Amino acid sequence: MLHTINKSPFSTDSLETCIRFLQPGDPVLFIEDGVYAVQQANRFSETLAGVMKNNPVYALGPDLDARGISNIVEGVSSIDYDGFVDLVVEHQVNSWL
Amino acid sequence: MLHTINKSPFSTDSLETCIRFLQPGDPVLFIEDGVYAVQQANRFSETLAGVMKNNPVYALGPDLDARGISNIVEGVSSIDYDGFVDLVVEHQVNSWL
Amino acid sequence: MKIGILLKEGPYNHQAADTAYKFAEAAIRKGHTVDAVFLYNDGVANVTKLMDPPQDDRHISSRWGQLHKEHGVEILACIAASKRRGICDDVLIEGSEITGLGNLTDIAIRNDRLLTFGD
Amino acid sequence: MKIGILLKEGPYNHQAADTAYKFAEAAIRKGHTVDAVFLYNDGVANVTKLMDPPQDDRHISSRWGQLHKEHGVEILACIAASKRRGICDDVLIEGSEITGLGNLTDIAIRNDRLLTFGD
Amino acid sequence: MGNENVKKIMHVMRQAPHGTIYTYEGLEMILIMAAYEQDLSLVFIGDGVYSLKKNQDTAGIGIKGFAKTFMALDGYDVEKLYVDRVSLEERGLGEEDLVVDVEVLESSEIGSLMKEQDVIIHH
Amino acid sequence: MGNENVKKIMHVMRQAPHGTIYTYEGLEMILIMAAYEQDLSLVFIGDGVYSLKKNQDTAGIGIKGFAKTFMALDGYDVEKLYVDRVSLEERGLGEEDLVVDVEVLESSEIGSLMKEQDVIIHH
């Protein structure tokens, strides 16, 4: 199951809540303001590292560019809208609003 | 200066952000979903106790009633819309959205 | 005391429109003047007369219209925000008006308080 | 693959309407079928033809209308949510329709995926 | 493995009531979907658990209350109501504070239920 | 103590850009207010600091960018731009990451500035 997160981890509890329900192997895709989670060296770096131990992590490239985030955590895959579609084709979706 | 907070402390960072900027003596008024902060024995009880050391704390009674919160932390004053108006007349206002 | 209100969210979806109204009502009841309610962001949707909520629910745009009629409260929607969201003169409830942000600045200057309600 | 989309926020105020559109575009480009976009909560405001954004900005309701015209994507607004917010047949962009939640249930049943975009 | 024409649809309630309309309109959606004989479930996570709090009286804020509507779900054969234990506990609430009978589950159990779904809608 | 007809008006930017329109429409409000010769200030707190991030390119999401508009504020005599140090630091950002010159302040300093205001508007 694909989990999408569209909120900054600083402003809402979306990321931290989602994490509690994640199953090992489930891919996580950060979109919209959610992409701030994958910027290097912020307060949530450790949280993200924890997620990456058991789950593949993606971030939507156009949303990263829009926010000027180029230094993303190693191991996070930046994908475009086509890549988003591919993930949806492969998995059922759980959009954490 | 009167600070109002209208979000649940569990879902957004409004309460924790507001606290950093509060000046001693400034009244804090919880309204709408913000009133969950003054329910007894939740995860934010200690945070609230910290605020109450230096600041008077109010909660909007109609919002408490709407949410079924009767066990509010001792020392928090429940006020109605008239009381809200009185606080606004007495202070400039900083509404943390 | 003279009070202005800035309302930043649409009707029904957020409680802001209700809290702003209840506050205005109470302020007037206590003898204060509510000079204006300025609608910004999605708040502009507060004044569409096309809304048609269930019979047993409050009618938010009518309520703002009444507040204008009975207490002279100006009900103003920002023009730029309104254009983005499809609010125009054709759909405005009686007693409300579309106007510029200069008007909000005047409201901020001429009132003792400017209170914000939003999300 | 057949995909349905549920959009829960209004245009411009939240990015949800843009992300949903970009996703739909990409899915169609890659040969999938986007069956329907169902608008709920403030999302119903996506289809008002009265919106009039700045010249150099995207026109969100026209864009949905085009998606219907060019790719047969149903653009549906929930009737109960629409009534609360002043969206009615008079203001609908061509190619969109007001309908009931039963239709959303059908969309959930007949598609391989139902994706939600919101706040 | 079950009827191919029956979909597993999960509604996730994550918002506090009254401050926003999401839970209320979510409930309107659930009531309609209930007529379609799908495999529906409701999960209450985070502030969503507040929707089930007893003794809500919305008269003072002028908004219609709806906590009692959750009690009506049983009559529509919607019987799978799950509540996240952590969410309840960190809010100082227990099952006895809620208007309906629910099943309180661990996060991991809710996580596996999520994984079985065809459709998940957050409100 | 200053001109009685000049009001101290503070705009507080607290939201990330693009995900919502609040910061953008906030900026539109500030540009109009700037013409009225009031004592305006802008404060960036929490995710609001992201609005000032360099190298934002919104072409891919199809939304107009506006980071550069903050640079234009100077031309409108809006020169009081304050950034909360903690908000910057916990986001792994420094002054060199921002599109405009700002004054980085401690929370307590911003708190006292707030206390002097006649009007505070959060965006």
Side-chain angles (χ1 to χ4, degrees):
Chain A
M1 170 151 291
L2 171 69
H3 297 258
T4 69
I5 296 173
N6 75 336
K7 288 293 185 313
S8 156
F10 293 93
S11 62
T12 82
D13 65 343
S14 281
L15 173 59
E16 287 178 310
T17 304
C18 168
I19 287 174
R20 285 204 283 120
F21 300 91
L22 265 185
Q23 303 289 295
D26 281 354
V28 178
L29 168 63
F30 292 96
I31 66 171
E32 301 175 353
D33 289 343
V35 299
Y36 288 114
V38 307
Q39 188 201 317
Q40 275 171 30
N42 71 29
R43 181 155 65 81
F44 289 89
S45 296
E46 220 171 295
T47 307
L48 188 73
V51 173
M52 293 178 69
K53 276 184 201 152
N54 298 304
N55 300 78
V57 173
Y58 302 86
L60 200 55
D63 279 321
L64 288 167
D65 295 342
R67 289 159 183 83
I69 308 174
S70 49
N71 56 338
I72 69 175
V73 169
E74 209 184 299
V76 173
S77 314
S78 169
I79 60 173
D80 58 10
Y81 292 103
D82 283 17
F84 186 178
V85 173
D86 291 339
L87 282 172
V88 168
V89 169
E90 223 177 307
H91 305 272
Q92 292 293 358
V93 188
N94 192 350
S95 303
W96 292 81
L97 301 184
Chain B
M1 171 151 289
L2 172 68
H3 297 258
T4 69
I5 295 173
N6 75 335
K7 288 293 185 316
S8 156
F10 292 93
S11 62
T12 82
D13 64 344
S14 282
L15 173 59
E16 286 177 312
T17 303
C18 169
I19 286 173
R20 284 205 283 120
F21 301 91
L22 264 184
Q23 304 288 295
D26 281 354
V28 177
L29 169 63
F30 291 97
I31 66 172
E32 301 174 354
D33 289 344
V35 299
Y36 289 114
V38 306
Q39 187 200 319
Q40 276 171 30
N42 71 29
R43 182 155 64 82
F44 288 89
S45 295
E46 220 170 294
T47 307
L48 188 73
V51 173
M52 293 178 69
K53 275 183 202 153
N54 298 306
N55 300 79
V57 173
Y58 302 85
L60 200 54
D63 279 321
L64 288 167
D65 294 343
R67 290 159 181 84
I69 307 173
S70 49
N71 55 338
I72 69 174
V73 169
E74 211 185 297
V76 173
S77 313
S78 168
I79 59 173
D80 57 11
Y81 292 102
D82 283 15
F84 187 177
V85 173
D86 290 339
L87 282 173
V88 168
V89 169
E90 224 176 307
H91 306 272
Q92 291 294 359
V93 188
N94 192 351
S95 303
W96 292 81
L97 300 184
Chain C
M1 178 166 277
K2 271 183 75 180
I3 300 172
I5 289 175
L6 172 62
L7 173 52
K8 286 164 56 75
E9 292 293 338
Y12 304 104
N13 213 96
H14 295 84
Q15 201 188 338
D18 296 288
T19 308
Y21 178 78
K22 290 281 184 185
F23 179 89
E25 233 186 8
I28 292 166
R29 194 169 52 232
K30 289 176 72 81
H32 301 292
T33 301
V34 176
D35 178 47
V37 176
F38 192 93
L39 307 169
Y40 201 51
N41 305 128
D42 272 356
V44 297
N46 271 278
V47 283
T48 171
K49 66 182 174 198
L50 302 179
M51 69 176 60
D52 180 19
Q55 291 281 349
D56 57 346
D57 200 356
R58 67 231 188 264
H59 192 295
I60 291 184
S61 62
S62 299
R63 212 161 63 173
W64 291 125
Q66 279 297 113
L67 202 69
H68 170 77
K69 198 172 156 196
E70 290 170 17
H71 304 285
V73 180
E74 289 192 66
I75 309 292
L76 306 169
C78 167
I79 184 162
S82 292
K83 288 181 95 168
R84 281 199 183 93
R85 295 163 178 88
I87 301 298
C88 58
D89 285 338
D90 295 346
V91 305
L92 282 195
I93 198 99
E94 210 179 319
S96 64
E97 227 175 292
I98 294 180
T99 182
L101 284 161
N103 226 322
L104 173 66
T105 316
D106 286 333
I107 292 166
I109 294 172
R110 75 176 180 242
N111 283 281
D112 301 303
R113 298 285 182 275
L114 177 66
L115 243 81
T116 310
F117 294 93
D119 182 49
Chain D
M1 178 167 276
K2 272 183 74 180
I3 300 171
I5 288 175
L6 172 61
L7 173 53
K8 287 165 54 74
E9 291 294 338
Y12 304 104
N13 212 95
H14 296 84
Q15 202 188 338
D18 296 288
T19 308
Y21 178 78
K22 291 280 184 185
F23 178 89
E25 232 186 7
I28 292 166
R29 194 169 52 230
K30 289 176 73 81
H32 302 291
T33 301
V34 176
D35 178 47
V37 176
F38 192 92
L39 307 168
Y40 201 52
N41 305 128
D42 273 356
V44 297
N46 271 276
V47 283
T48 171
K49 66 181 173 198
L50 302 179
M51 68 176 60
D52 180 19
Q55 291 281 349
D56 58 345
D57 200 356
R58 67 229 190 266
H59 192 295
I60 292 184
S61 62
S62 299
R63 212 161 64 172
W64 291 125
Q66 278 299 110
L67 202 69
H68 170 76
K69 199 173 156 195
E70 290 171 16
H71 303 285
V73 180
E74 288 192 65
I75 310 291
L76 307 169
C78 166
I79 184 161
S82 293
K83 288 180 94 168
R84 280 199 185 92
R85 294 163 179 90
I87 301 299
C88 58
D89 285 338
D90 296 345
V91 304
L92 282 194
I93 199 99
E94 210 179 319
S96 64
E97 229 175 291
I98 294 180
T99 182
L101 285 162
N103 226 323
L104 173 66
T105 316
D106 286 333
I107 292 166
I109 294 172
R110 74 176 179 240
N111 282 283
D112 301 304
R113 298 284 182 275
L114 178 66
L115 243 80
T116 311
F117 294 93
D119 182 50
Chain E
M1 277 265 320
N3 185 334
E4 284 230 358
N5 295 316
V6 171
K7 288 227 170 178
K8 282 174 172 293
I9 303 178
M10 176 182 278
H11 293 270
V12 184
M13 316 312 260
R14 291 227 340 273
Q15 309 292 327
H18 317 313
T20 59
I21 203 171
Y22 301 111
T23 307
Y24 181 68
E25 289 195 328
L27 197 48
E28 290 191 336
M29 185 189 286
I30 291 161
L31 290 171
I32 300 290
M33 285 199 173
Y36 284 70
E37 303 190 341
Q38 302 298 301
D39 182 358
L40 290 194
S41 57
L42 274 68
V43 179
F44 299 83
I45 289 176
D47 284 343
V49 303
Y50 285 135
S51 311
L52 298 175
K53 177 83 179 60
K54 278 183 187 160
N55 301 319
Q56 299 182 44
D57 175 4
T58 58
I61 59 170
I63 295 179
K64 268 201 296 183
F66 58 90
K68 286 184 175 144
T69 313
F70 286 108
M71 298 196 234
L73 287 174
D74 199 45
Y76 291 85
D77 290 326
V78 178
E79 287 158 355
K80 296 178 178 172
L81 273 64
Y82 307 113
V83 170
D84 173 49
R85 181 186 304 281
V86 172
S87 301
L88 265 189
E89 286 178 355
E90 62 183 9
R91 285 166 184 76
L93 298 175
E95 277 184 75
E96 68 283 1
D97 293 308
L98 309 182
V99 290
V100 282
D101 284 339
V102 296
E103 199 172 336
V104 178
L105 297 178
E106 303 306 321
S107 307
S108 60
E109 295 175 289
I110 293 176
S112 1
L113 283 176
M114 285 177 164
K115 194 142 179 160
E116 296 170 6
Q117 303 300 314
D118 297 304
V119 172
I120 298 185
I121 298 174
H122 287 241
H123 295 285
Chain F
M1 276 268 322
N3 186 334
E4 284 230 354
N5 295 315
V6 172
K7 289 226 171 179
K8 283 175 173 290
I9 303 178
M10 175 182 277
H11 293 270
V12 184
M13 316 313 260
R14 290 226 344 271
Q15 310 291 327
H18 318 313
T20 58
I21 203 170
Y22 300 111
T23 307
Y24 181 68
E25 289 195 328
L27 197 48
E28 290 191 334
M29 185 188 286
I30 290 161
L31 290 171
I32 300 289
M33 284 199 175
Y36 283 71
E37 304 191 338
Q38 302 298 302
D39 182 357
L40 289 193
S41 57
L42 274 69
V43 179
F44 298 83
I45 289 176
D47 283 344
V49 303
Y50 285 135
S51 311
L52 298 176
K53 178 83 179 61
K54 276 183 188 159
N55 301 320
Q56 299 182 44
D57 174 5
T58 57
I61 60 171
I63 295 180
K64 267 200 297 183
F66 57 92
K68 286 184 176 145
T69 312
F70 286 109
M71 297 196 236
L73 287 174
D74 199 44
Y76 291 85
D77 290 326
V78 178
E79 289 159 353
K80 297 179 180 171
L81 272 65
Y82 307 112
V83 170
D84 173 48
R85 181 186 305 281
V86 172
S87 301
L88 265 189
E89 287 178 354
E90 62 183 10
R91 285 166 183 77
L93 297 176
E95 277 183 75
E96 67 284 2
D97 293 307
L98 309 183
V99 289
V100 283
D101 284 338
V102 297
E103 199 171 337
V104 178
L105 297 178
E106 304 306 321
S107 308
S108 59
E109 295 174 289
I110 293 176
S112 3
L113 284 176
M114 284 177 164
K115 194 142 179 162
E116 296 170 6
Q117 303 301 313
D118 297 304
V119 172
I120 299 185
I121 298 173
H122 287 242
H123 295 285

